[in-house]
């Protein structure tokens, strides 16, 4: 892409720069969202995929619904639809405007988050991606309506100006991940209410996470991808290769094994 197409306005870019996030309403239409949902429900039916997806039957889940419906990591590595939506031109155009340069895709994920599922404690994405220079950006596509009751995302506005923290231990009764960062004084997590097809973009230093799905019968499915700008020189090796908007894989990016703010012991960090 030689130049960005203006799917978002200059004031939206300014809002992203000021707040650390931007919601683009209806970036995907109903049929597109249905296509994503149907595909991932079929993938769930089809069962485990080595290294990427490990659902277990109910009788092996020990009452943890997330064992039956874990997140699917990097589906773009095995699934054409995921690759197509990860590098969808509308998403890549918005990212181009937000990065101020061409975007490269680093990761895709799908969260099923059924009723009763735990959340993911507050964290910062670039702790894991270790993008340098700068940071990554997430595109979080809501597949169901996402709100406080079904475990929707919370973000802490303006924390994109914060440095990356070395996290504390999270409470395992409410979070399926083990890390939790501290909310800075004067800031607070706010719920992001999204309808199917809305996409939340946020800076990789922004503190965000989610709480359990306390609804009776509402899944909170989301397709979540992370990106870097084309001038990125280093990233954690878990996220390599990167993909350009036309799907070309870039393998020759330097592996960032620094371990980030926790030091060298974290150099073998896995996914977040
Ligand atoms: O969707 C969630 O509950 C958390 C996702 C998230 O924090 C992430 O992808 O970084």
């Amino acid at each position: 892409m030689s130049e960005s197409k203006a799917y978002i306005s200059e004031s939206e870019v300014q809002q992203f720069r000021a707040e650390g996030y931007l919601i683009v309403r209806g970036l995907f239409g109903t049929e597109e969202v249905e296509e994503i949902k149907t595909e991932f429900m079929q993938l769930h039916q089809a069962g485990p995929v080595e290294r990427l997806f490990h659902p277990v039957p109910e009788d092996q889940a020990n009452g943890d619904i997330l064992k039956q419906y874990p997140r699917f990591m990097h589906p773009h590595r095995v699934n054409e639809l995921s690759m197509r939506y990860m590098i969808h031109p509308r998403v890549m155009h918005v990212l181009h405007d937000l990065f101020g340069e061409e975007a490269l895709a680093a990761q895709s994920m799908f969260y099923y988050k059924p009723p009763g599922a735990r959340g993911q404690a507050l964290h910062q994405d670039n702790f894991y991606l270790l993008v340098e220079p700068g940071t990554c950006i997430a595109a979080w596509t809501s597949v169901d309506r996402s709100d406080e009751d079904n475990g929707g995302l919370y973000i802490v506005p303006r924390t994109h100006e914060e440095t990356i923290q070395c996290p504390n231990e999270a409470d395992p009764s409410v979070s399926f991940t083990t890390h939790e960062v501290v909310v800075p004084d004067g800031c607070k997590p706010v719920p992001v209410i999204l309808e199917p097809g809305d996409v939340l973009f946020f800076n990789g230093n922004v503190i965000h996470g989610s709480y359990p799905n306390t609804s009776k019968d509402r899944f909170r499915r989301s397709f979540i991808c992370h990106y870097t700008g084309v001038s990125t020189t280093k990233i954690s090796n878990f996220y390599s290769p990167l993909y350009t908007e036309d799907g070309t894989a870039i393998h020759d990016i330097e592996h960032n094994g620094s371990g980030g703010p926790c030091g060298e012991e974290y150099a073998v960090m896995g996914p977040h």
Side-chain angles (χ1 to χ4, degrees), residues 8-24:
I8 54 173
S9 64
E10 184 51 33
S11 72
E12 287 174 302
V13 174
Q14 291 313 327
Q15 192 211 314
F16 179 83
R17 300 230 165 100
E19 299 291 321
Y21 74 96
L22 175 73
I23 299 169
V24 181

Side-chain angles (χ1 to χ4, degrees), residues 109 111 120 123 125 140 153 208 210 220 224 226 272:
M109 295 189 286
Y111 282 42
Q120 181 167 1
H123 63 280
D125 290 340
W140 197 104
L153 203 72
H208 66 284
S210 67
R220 195 234 63 192
I224 308 169
H226 294 100
H272 77 296

Side-chain angles (χ1 to χ4, degrees), residues 23-42:
I23 299 169
V24 181
R25 301 278 174 198
L27 191 68
F28 291 116
T30 309
E31 281 176 20
E32 293 169 316
V33 174
E34 283 303 313
E35 188 184 20
I36 297 171
K37 181 162 59 185
T38 303
E39 182 88 352
F40 275 96
M41 294 319 276
Q42 283 169 358

